[in-house]
Amino acid sequence: MALVEGLLTSLREGVGHAVFLSGEAGIGKSRLADECARQAVALGLPLLRGRGSPSGAGTPFRPLVEALSSRFRKAGPPDDQELVPYRPALARVVPEWRTAAGPDYPESVIELAEALLRLLAVLGRDAGCVLVLEDLHDADSEMVAVLEYLVDNVADLPVLLIATLRPEAGAAFDLLQATERRRAASVLALGPLDTPDIRALAAGCLGVPAAEVPGEVVDRLAEVGGGNPYLVEELLADMVGTGSLRQDRARWRVAGDLAATVPTSVVHAYGRRAGLLAPRARELVVLAALLGPQFSVGTVQLITGHDDRSLFATLRTLVEAELVVPDGIVADRYAFRHALIGEALLAGIPLAERAAAARRAAIALQQAGPEPADGRWHLAARLLETAGDEAAAARLYAEAGRQALADATSGLAVRLLERGHRLAAQADRADLTEALVYARAEAGQLDGALELLGTLPTAGVAGLSADRRIALHTRLAWATLLAERAEECGEQLAAAWTLMGDGGAPAQTAALALVQGGLALLPGHEADLADAERQAREAAEVAQRAELPVLACQAWQLLATLARERGFDEADDCLARMLAVAETHALPGWRFEALIRLGANSFLRTGDSRTLEEALAAAHELGSITLTQRTEGLLAMHAVLTGDPHRAREIIDRCLDATARMRNLATHRYLLLTAATLAAHRGRRRDMEDELLAFDQAGGGRSFLVPVMLGLGRAVCALLEEDRALAEAELAAAADWERDHPNIFYLAGRYGLRPLLDVLAGRAGRAEYAVAAAAPAAELAWNRQFLLAAEAVLLGREGNADEATRAVQAVRSAASVFPTGSHLALRLVAEAALTDGWGDPVSWLRTAEDYFHGLDVPAVAAACRALLRRTGATVAQRRSGRDLIPAGLRAVGVTTREYEVFALIVERLGNQDIARRLSISPRTVEKHMASLLRKTGRADRAGLQQLSVEVAEG
């Protein structure tokens, strides 16, 4: 309780934490959780509370659904606008946000977990909130995945997470052990009471001082109860109830043989108590015990057929007998006063009676409806297993598993199907094996899926048909392709082609051809590109004839990727056809894929972001956080190149941590690269290298983004430092990398910046320029501005001054699209014009100098001024904020922006206030603060504040 009290206090400072309470049944986990909840309510904090249940394990995220319902049942969910993008993901657990048509893509557990974090942040933004999740040993695997995500990320939010579970083998306990090893949460293992505590507990129950509890009673409680508070209380109640322990003149004395009168197990005690019930009440309590520690009134009513009046009268009887209690969280549910009660009751019932009751309950659940709903068939399967009917149980587990797979809860599907697979007779396993292969593939368990596929009989009654085996191989080929496991993808393709022979259906052939085409895009398989394109076109034709819209979208997407090598017009035509198919057949997921690719091409070709913005709106409509992040990553790079650093920084700061939490690694790496490019395009090498180090640590050094890092980042930064030799070396390194790793990123310099530098250096002439200008990537606006500058230099050298000047004017007109690139090209071409004696280099240099001075890129601005002086032109004196930096700070490399931050530290402002004052993001302030600490050698913020005072005082 001291730990929890401290954590509740820390919520006010925005610091969250996770606490695991573990221990055997009866040890006091729920009692502690109750007390934590009570304190939260007393402090006025929002409280959300739910628990797992074996009877509801077929309902994904049940503890979470209950927790949110416990909060929103009366007041409804919050209507904050910042939650709008997250509502589709949260709709799985917040019924009020469900719509008639959900997204047509598999929903991600990580997206749900991230959305839940955002919801908790909104609920707790005033003073914090508390989320209590109990009995997680009974939670489904998807719920445990959400819990892991919360544990890993709750520290940055004003949220206290309290989770309780038994130390039983399973996903939840594995998570507890893992978090304890990495110290991501506080883990409290609740152990048994010692003898003094047992005496104190007995005294509390009997209402006397501890010293007045007879010693032999304490010894017996310790011997039989084992220090378990629940068992101690039950044993003590039995002693009093049987008269072995009596109160005489306000004192308790032993009145009989404790060993003879106290039952040898709690089982006998509850068996006796159940035996005193009326037949209907006994039948109901036995059914409840079969359903689990908690049970739904609705489920009991489905099975028994009792009307409300008689059912609740019987439940009141069980409450009065101190066997069950209202759940307290969910209005429709009751629970045994303790989990051990149900277990004890079942242990005291003859096996035949238990099996008959379980069979009757399972049959009633099956007759209640033809479709699996709310975990009903999973519960029926468990009851049939208890009844000993393993074949029937296996069939229901299979149906429940298939339903879970259709609902995109692949982890739960795997667990249910594996249970059914174990129970099914050998002759009946083929269908279950097939479903389990699909489920494991969806869950990312590729090794298990491939291994299981090898166990399928290939012939005979138990074997699958050739078509079903082809479909399995095709699905696994897609899965291994997406995982970039090229060798295994090839094996699955070969197996499917062999099964098809010469008689495969057109749709089968087309689907396999598309996987083959995707394989051709992986390194080492490029030789197959021409064949892949031919097969993709055939697949598109098949899809159109057979009205298979998803297959058609896949085909046009692959064709668009392949066509980019020849030109963007053809690629865009393929994407336009993909978009038309998606819109005609109402496939919003594929519509998004078409839009984002069209938007990326439009951005590259003209600098126009309107289609990307349309793709972002489509991602919001789908409710996909990962698709939204992916689109915003492209918009951040667009903002960098189009000279909008504030928007770029805002997107990066908003999305970077979230992509890391969600393990959306591709977008996370792209955002890190974009942050590095942002720093590079402002000539800030130290910041660029810090971001590139993070990019490399995130696996970026092994990605296709490497040439962009070298050509769009380091090479441009070197030019902004006026280090042309370094820029040429970086561009050469990018070209070497691209030669060994063909890719589709065309802004690495090969088609624009490098030809310009080669022409300027005299290494390239008209022939080399013509080769670069003929490439499809030469039409991209970023590359075209540098190629225009290269052509201007060549024309000037050839004596064609008028045409050279017109080429420069085209470069200048690009300033409204990519200002940094066009002004850099202007600075470079002006130097050549000055040397060769053509054009208006003075005007061009003034334009470039003014731009780079305003951008605070002193090296280029100074170079422009030096060239202007060479011409004899007047040069205005520039005084930048750098002149205001004290010499001592300038000597250690403090930049103008860092000094602005430093100057505000003396006012003892927080990062948020500094960010608002300077119109930058808090994360940028943090980076400047870290840089100042490193450069000044100060240990902490207090040291910087002291230094700022000293500087301010002169």
Side-chain angles (χ1 to χ4, degrees):
M1 287 313 306
L3 169 68
V4 170
E5 288 167 4
L7 294 175
L8 288 171
T9 300
S10 69
L11 290 179
R12 299 191 191 98
E13 302 169 4
V15 179
H17 197 67
V19 179
F20 282 95
L21 303 175
S22 107
E24 63 179 359
I27 206 68
K29 303 183 296 298
S30 294
R31 178 68 183 85
L32 274 174
D34 286 341
E35 183 60 22
C36 296
R38 186 195 64 76
Q39 291 206 19
V41 171
L43 291 170
L45 304 181
L47 172 67
L48 302 90
R49 192 170 183 182
R51 65 160 59 97
S53 167
S55 61
T59 305
F61 313 111
R62 175 164 179 163
L64 194 53
V65 172
E66 291 184 1
L68 296 174
S69 297
S70 71
R71 177 70 188 172
F72 302 150
R73 189 173 291 116
K74 292 183 179 179
D79 57 1
D80 299 62
Q81 282 299 113
E82 64 191 273
L83 290 177
V84 171
Y86 302 98
R87 286 183 180 178
L90 287 165
R92 300 181 76 173
V93 291
V94 182
E96 291 90 339
W97 286 338
R98 290 176 189 162
T99 57
D104 69 339
Y105 65 95
E107 296 167 296
S108 163
V109 170
I110 299 301
E111 289 198 356
L112 170 60
E114 176 64 20
L116 179 62
L117 275 181
R118 303 295 179 121
L119 175 60
L120 293 174
V122 167
L123 293 175
R125 63 185 165 202
D126 293 332
C129 70
V130 177
L131 173 61
V132 180
L133 300 173
E134 297 183 65
D135 295 339
L136 291 178
H137 48 273
D138 287 325
D140 57 279
S141 54
E142 278 81 7
M143 180 64 239
V144 175
V146 169
L147 179 65
E148 179 178 15
Y149 192 87
L150 295 180
V151 170
D152 286 342
N153 297 287
V154 77
D156 297 327
L157 299 173
V159 178
L160 175 58
L161 167 62
I162 298 172
T164 75
L165 70 160
R166 297 182 197 171
E168 299 173 353
F173 192 62
D174 289 344
L175 172 60
L176 177 147
Q177 293 177 310
T179 55
E180 186 174 27
R181 282 193 298 271
R182 65 176 189 266
R183 299 181 181 179
S186 296
V187 177
L188 304 180
L190 307 183
L193 304 178
D194 57 19
T195 300
D197 289 332
I198 292 172
R199 178 182 289 275
L201 176 57
C205 292
L206 297 174
V208 296
E212 295 183 10
V213 179
E216 57 265 51
V217 170
V218 175
D219 293 341
R220 186 61 179 165
L221 293 175
E223 176 187 354
V224 179
N228 184 301
Y230 165 72
L231 292 177
V232 167
E233 288 188 12
E234 291 301 315
L235 291 166
L236 187 62
D238 191 81
M239 290 178 185
V240 174
T242 59
S244 300
L245 183 63
R246 295 179 181 174
Q247 193 172 28
D248 184 10
R249 295 181 182 179
R251 295 184 65 87
W252 291 93
R253 63 182 181 82
V254 176
D257 185 354
L258 294 177
T261 57
V262 174
T264 58
S265 71
V266 178
V267 172
H268 295 162
Y270 281 107
R272 187 164 55 247
R273 192 180 299 184
L276 298 175
L277 296 171
R280 174 172 283 192
R282 184 177 186 280
E283 177 186 346
L284 182 57
V285 81
V286 169
L287 172 61
L290 287 167
L291 296 178
Q294 301 96 34
F295 54 92
S296 160
V297 173
T299 301
V300 170
Q301 205 160 24
L302 272 178
I303 294 170
T304 62
H306 295 335
D307 58 45
D308 287 348
R309 182 176 180 180
S310 62
L311 178 60
F312 283 107
T314 306
L315 284 171
R316 278 195 298 273
T317 300
L318 299 182
V319 170
E320 291 165 359
E322 297 187 336
L323 293 171
V324 303
V325 292
D327 182 82
I329 298 175
V330 179
D332 177 56
R333 201 170 68 186
Y334 281 70
F336 282 103
R337 199 162 60 83
H338 192 276
L340 289 177
I341 296 177
E343 296 173 11
L345 285 170
L346 286 181
I349 297 172
L351 288 176
E353 182 183 349
R354 192 189 318 173
R359 185 176 294 105
R360 287 195 301 271
I363 292 171
L365 285 174
Q366 289 176 267
Q367 291 175 342
E371 296 294 333
D374 299 329
R376 189 189 306 152
W377 280 17
H378 173 206
L379 178 56
R382 191 163 59 82
L383 289 166
L384 286 171
E385 189 177 357
T386 300
D389 192 346
E390 294 186 346
R395 287 193 293 273
L396 283 188
Y397 276 127
E399 293 300 330
R402 291 188 181 98
Q403 183 63 41
L405 190 58
D407 292 339
T409 50
S410 54
L412 175 61
V414 168
R415 188 171 65 175
L416 293 171
L417 290 166
E418 284 179 343
R419 190 70 173 266
H421 193 263
R422 283 195 298 270
L423 294 174
Q426 188 66 39
D428 299 330
R429 280 189 182 169
D431 288 349
L432 269 164
T433 302
E434 178 188 28
L436 186 51
V437 170
Y438 281 116
R440 284 180 173 175
E442 291 294 334
Q445 301 174 17
L446 283 181
D447 291 331
L450 293 168
E451 179 184 356
L452 195 60
L453 180 62
T455 68
L456 271 171
T458 57
V461 177
L464 294 180
S465 68
D467 286 346
R468 289 167 69 181
R469 290 184 68 87
I470 290 168
L472 269 179
H473 286 299
T474 304
R475 177 64 189 89
L476 287 176
W478 271 115
T480 49
L481 173 66
L482 294 175
E484 298 187 7
R485 293 166 64 161
E487 182 178 351
E488 287 157 315
C489 178
E491 291 171 356
Q492 294 302 312
L493 282 171
W497 287 121
T498 300
L499 281 167
M500 266 196 330
D502 298 327
Q508 292 174 328
T509 304
L512 285 172
L514 289 178
V515 182
Q516 194 89 47
L519 184 61
L521 294 175
L522 295 182
H525 296 263
E526 297 84 359
D528 304 325
L529 284 174
D531 191 49
E533 185 167 358
R534 177 185 60 78
Q535 291 180 327
R537 289 198 178 278
E538 292 175 357
E541 293 171 4
V542 169
Q544 182 175 347
R545 287 195 302 270
E547 295 188 358
L548 301 171
V550 172
L551 185 65
C553 288
Q554 291 173 322
W556 288 118
Q557 178 177 301
L558 176 58
L559 285 167
T561 303
L562 295 169
R564 283 180 72 171
E565 287 292 328
R566 293 189 298 275
F568 284 78
D569 285 338
E570 185 179 348
D572 281 356
D573 180 61
C574 293
L575 291 172
R577 298 183 72 168
M578 174 184 171
L579 179 61
V581 171
E583 291 181 337
T584 300
H585 295 276
L587 300 174
W590 287 105
R591 177 176 179 270
F592 165 81
E593 291 296 337
L595 284 172
I596 194 171
R597 285 167 170 77
L598 283 166
N601 286 357
S602 178
F603 151 39
L604 292 171
R605 297 180 79 176
T606 66
D608 190 340
S609 66
R610 285 176 294 181
T611 309
L612 273 181
E613 297 286 356
E614 193 176 350
L616 182 63
H620 285 155
E621 290 170 9
L622 281 167
S624 171
I625 302 169
T626 53
L627 298 184
T628 298
Q629 292 169 343
R630 178 177 155 199
T631 313
E632 291 198 308
L634 288 171
L635 287 168
M637 183 64 84
H638 175 270
V640 171
L641 298 186
T642 55
D644 190 352
H646 295 298
R647 188 188 186 197
R649 189 76 261 171
E650 185 274 326
I651 293 173
I652 293 166
D653 289 346
R654 176 161 43 80
C655 297
L656 193 61
D657 291 341
T659 54
R661 285 196 302 267
M662 295 175 65
R663 297 180 179 86
N664 184 4
L665 296 182
T667 301
H668 183 69
R669 286 193 289 262
Y670 189 79
L671 286 167
L672 288 169
L673 180 66
T674 302
T677 306
L678 174 60
H681 285 223
R682 308 192 78 184
R684 298 175 180 176
R685 176 167 293 276
R686 188 186 297 273
D687 291 342
M688 177 192 72
E689 294 297 345
D690 287 345
E691 299 289 3
L692 288 179
L693 177 61
F695 170 72
D696 192 54
Q697 290 171 342
R702 296 182 296 278
S703 79
F704 287 160
L705 296 171
V706 168
V708 180
M709 171 187 77
L710 296 169
L712 197 61
R714 284 183 169 144
V716 172
C717 186
L719 288 173
L720 295 183
E721 294 170 323
E722 287 292 316
D723 191 340
R724 203 170 301 181
L726 178 57
E728 291 171 349
E730 299 288 8
L731 289 168
D736 290 342
W737 201 96
E738 286 184 291
R739 197 160 34 247
D740 298 328
H741 306 82
N743 65 86
I744 57 172
F745 297 100
Y746 300 120
L747 303 188
R750 182 167 45 154
Y751 304 104
L753 189 54
R754 191 178 188 195
L756 171 58
L757 294 184
D758 286 345
V759 166
L760 288 169
R763 290 187 297 270
R766 178 63 66 179
E768 292 81 2
Y769 166 79
V771 171
E779 68 176 275
L780 303 183
W782 177 263
N783 293 331
R784 190 166 60 248
Q785 62 191 350
F786 296 117
L787 288 174
L788 283 168
E791 185 179 23
V793 173
L794 289 171
L795 289 168
R797 287 177 184 169
E798 294 164 357
N800 199 335
D802 290 342
E803 287 191 33
T805 301
R806 279 194 289 273
V808 175
Q809 289 305 114
V811 174
R812 295 188 72 174
S813 67
S816 61
V817 182
F818 297 131
T820 299
S822 63
H823 284 96
L824 181 58
L826 205 62
R827 176 261 177 272
L828 294 170
V829 78
E831 183 176 0
L834 190 60
T835 300
D836 296 334
W838 57 272
D840 187 11
V842 170
S843 171
W844 303 337
L845 287 169
R846 289 194 191 282
T847 299
E849 190 276 338
D850 185 66
Y851 175 79
F852 286 111
H853 173 77
L855 194 63
D856 192 19
V857 182
V860 183
C864 291
R865 288 194 293 272
L867 289 169
L868 284 168
R869 291 189 187 97
R870 257 178 58 187
T871 69
T874 58
V875 180
Q877 291 294 317
R878 295 284 196 182
R879 289 186 61 82
S880 68
R882 187 165 178 78
D883 302 321
L884 303 176
I885 303 175
L889 294 179
R890 277 204 311 271
V892 295
V894 172
T895 67
T896 303
R897 183 60 92 182
E898 288 170 352
Y899 183 67
E900 291 174 350
V901 172
F902 178 83
L904 293 174
I905 295 175
V906 71
E907 300 180 33
R908 300 188 180 277
L909 298 176
N911 287 358
Q912 296 279 355
D913 294 326
I914 293 175
R916 279 192 290 271
R917 188 82 66 89
L918 298 178
S919 298
I920 57 179
S921 73
R923 187 171 184 272
T924 300
V925 174
E926 291 174 10
K927 291 183 62 177
H928 287 325
M929 203 70 72
S931 182
L932 284 166
L933 290 169
R934 184 176 65 251
K935 290 176 180 179
T936 62
R938 298 294 165 135
D940 51 28
R941 193 185 187 102
L944 272 181
Q945 287 174 338
Q946 179 60 36
L947 180 61
S948 67
V949 171
E950 294 170 3
V951 169
E953 292 175 351

